[in-house]
Amino acid sequence: MEKTWRWFGKRDNITLAMLRQIGVEGIVTALHDVPNGEVWTYDAVMDLKRLIEGAGLRWSVVESLPVCEAVKYAGADRDALIGNYILSLENLGKAGVKTVCYNFMPVIDWVRTDLQHPWADGSSSLYFDRTRFAYFDCRILRREGAEKDYDADMLAAVDALDKTITDTEKKSLIENIIVKTQGFVNGNITENDRDPVSIFRALLAQYAGIGRDALRENMKYFLSAVMPVCERYGINLCVHPDDPPFPLFGLPRIVTCDEDIDWFLHAVDNPHNGLTFCAGSLSAGIHNDVPQLARKYASRTHFVHLRSTNVLPNGDFIEASHLEGRAHLVDLVRIFEKERPDVPMRVDHGRLMLGDKPEEYNAGYSFHGRMFALAQVEGIMAVVRDELQNNLI
Ligand code: DNO
């Protein structure tokens, strides 16, 4: 696999020169300053590409070229927005950037409740607390009908939490769930927004009446429209699985499991329509056997995210060490090194450790934590390459 790293552009305080020193080969990035829905011009793409190449690296993957909400809920302007998406793909294709990641999650990209869950060793990682999430949904967002999505035990836990939760904790739930995890990935809410909860309510309302089947149809419509340009330029488009891979806020989620992946790959059965194999996201669903999914879908995987989680007995999940947890990265490296030796891979998320904290990196995207994880993954890769050379696997 090609060793890549998610870099957030010129404003990232992790520089391209630093990345070269730690053995990164390819860059994963986006035109983060272009508002969603606008065209990525050829010139802007080339400027960024030259900057990356000037540092002795290559631009391997776009993460993400965001799909606008109106495409997902089939709003009146969806064809115009898809038209712009096609132009952006065309410009990327002309510039030779040919792996493009996106997601099809309504309203909210990835979700966590705690961005600094402490570990006993003094580092911290991301965490999803089911009770706190339900608390946000029922008591802070006050989504109509939210209670129906939770069982009696969970509602009792929400009541109990209401007696102890502080205002500061409530504020950080808002920040963590809908602000800090969203803005930097070109999500719907940024740190400058004054009333994120109201914005979020309005966004959710756009999906009233849109269930799983309608969302699937809209994804199929989008994929059918963009596949010709992908074919023309040899672009591999790869959807990121829903993170976490289960429904939230009453919204449908359609890239969560084996059946979903099988559905979208067949809905538009074209080799350019593929998957971003995000091991961490898939592993947070107790229904997923991650190595089995990798074996089944390696041939349609165009980009790999390596990270792992542990699902706890109460249903919470924690981002685990890259050597442990439900994703079984050793098995995944064996599968992808064998089946897809050239596929770009990035280490996904890292703990906050060794002085990362004051740097205020984007949630999950620490420097030392990711560098540590990359070194672990490189170690696995070295062993696996040796196994392959000696015909041991
Ligand atoms: C979070 C990321 C996601 C991902 C997008 C891809 O850390 O994995 O934000 O980049 O969903 O479209």
Side-chain angles (χ1 to χ4, degrees), residues 137-138 141-149 201 204 249:
D137 194 11
C138 300
L141 183 63
R142 296 206 193 88
R143 179 172 62 88
E144 209 185 308
E147 282 76 8
K148 283 199 275 295
D149 290 350
R201 282 194 194 108
L204 285 179
F249 299 118

Side-chain angles (χ1 to χ4, degrees), residues 67-335:
V67 176
C68 291
E69 296 301 329
V71 175
K72 296 181 216 162
Y73 66 76
D77 47 350
R78 82 161 151 179
D79 288 333
L81 290 165
I82 292 177
N84 284 356
Y85 202 95
I86 290 172
L87 290 175
S88 298
L89 286 173
E90 201 161 53
N91 290 332
L92 285 164
K94 283 183 191 153
V97 185
K98 298 197 173 178
T99 303
V100 179
C101 167
Y102 70 103
N103 71 70
F104 219 80
M105 289 178 256
V107 181
I108 189 148
D109 198 305
W110 59 310
V111 181
R112 298 291 183 276
T113 55
D114 188 353
L115 308 182
Q116 294 188 17
H117 184 80
W119 285 31
D121 61 13
S123 62
S124 68
S125 72
L126 306 173
Y127 190 92
F128 183 88
D129 179 316
R130 281 202 178 240
T131 308
R132 283 180 187 261
F133 179 80
Y135 185 90
F136 172 80
D137 194 11
C138 300
R139 298 297 169 91
I140 298 177
L141 183 63
R142 296 206 193 88
R143 179 172 62 88
E144 209 185 308
E147 282 76 8
K148 283 199 275 295
D149 290 350
Y150 303 101
D151 64 18
D153 286 349
M154 181 55 83
L155 293 175
V158 165
D159 278 341
L161 179 60
D162 194 43
K163 300 200 169 69
T164 58
I165 193 166
T166 64
D167 285 347
T168 315
E169 286 176 305
K170 287 184 197 171
K171 202 167 158 252
S172 62
L173 276 182
I174 300 174
E175 296 258 286
N176 296 346
I177 297 176
I178 61 174
V179 183
K180 285 191 177 155
T181 44
Q182 303 302 304
F184 77 91
V185 292
N186 286 53
N188 287 310
I189 296 177
T190 70
E191 310 230 1
N192 303 323
D193 289 321
R194 287 257 186 79
D195 186 0
V197 174
S198 301
I199 299 176
F200 195 71
R201 282 194 194 108
L203 286 160
L204 285 179
Q206 293 174 321
Y207 284 85
I210 302 212
R212 177 185 151 91
D213 290 346
L215 191 64
R216 275 188 166 186
E217 268 321 297
N218 298 345
M219 184 175 181
K220 186 174 175 182
Y221 184 93
F222 164 75
L223 285 171
S224 310
V226 300
M227 266 314 115
V229 76
C230 292
E231 277 202 316
R232 194 168 327 125
Y233 290 96
I235 292 174
N236 288 327
L237 199 63
C238 39
V239 71
H240 189 284
D242 303 339
D243 180 6
F246 41 81
L248 301 166
F249 299 118
L251 294 164
R253 295 205 138 199
I254 57 168
V255 191
T256 64
C257 60
D258 190 359
E259 192 216 318
D260 285 349
I261 299 170
D262 198 64
W263 176 83
F264 86 80
L265 291 176
H266 285 98
V268 180
D269 201 0
N270 183 313
H272 297 283
N273 169 27
L275 177 68
T276 295
F277 196 95
C278 180
S281 303
L282 293 167
S283 73
I286 204 80
H287 50 276
N288 286 328
D289 176 334
V290 185
Q292 194 194 319
L293 293 175
R295 256 174 241 118
K296 185 162 173 192
Y297 296 111
S299 66
R300 292 284 283 270
T301 293
H302 300 315
F303 183 29
V304 176
H305 284 183
L306 292 183
R307 155 172 88 76
S308 189
T309 67
N310 270 314
V311 179
L312 309 181
N314 65 0
D316 292 358
F317 69 84
I318 182 164
E319 295 206 359
S321 149
H322 287 66
L323 296 180
E324 289 160 10
R326 302 192 73 252
H328 301 287
L329 297 193
V330 174
D331 289 345
L332 299 190
V333 174
R334 285 203 177 106
I335 294 162

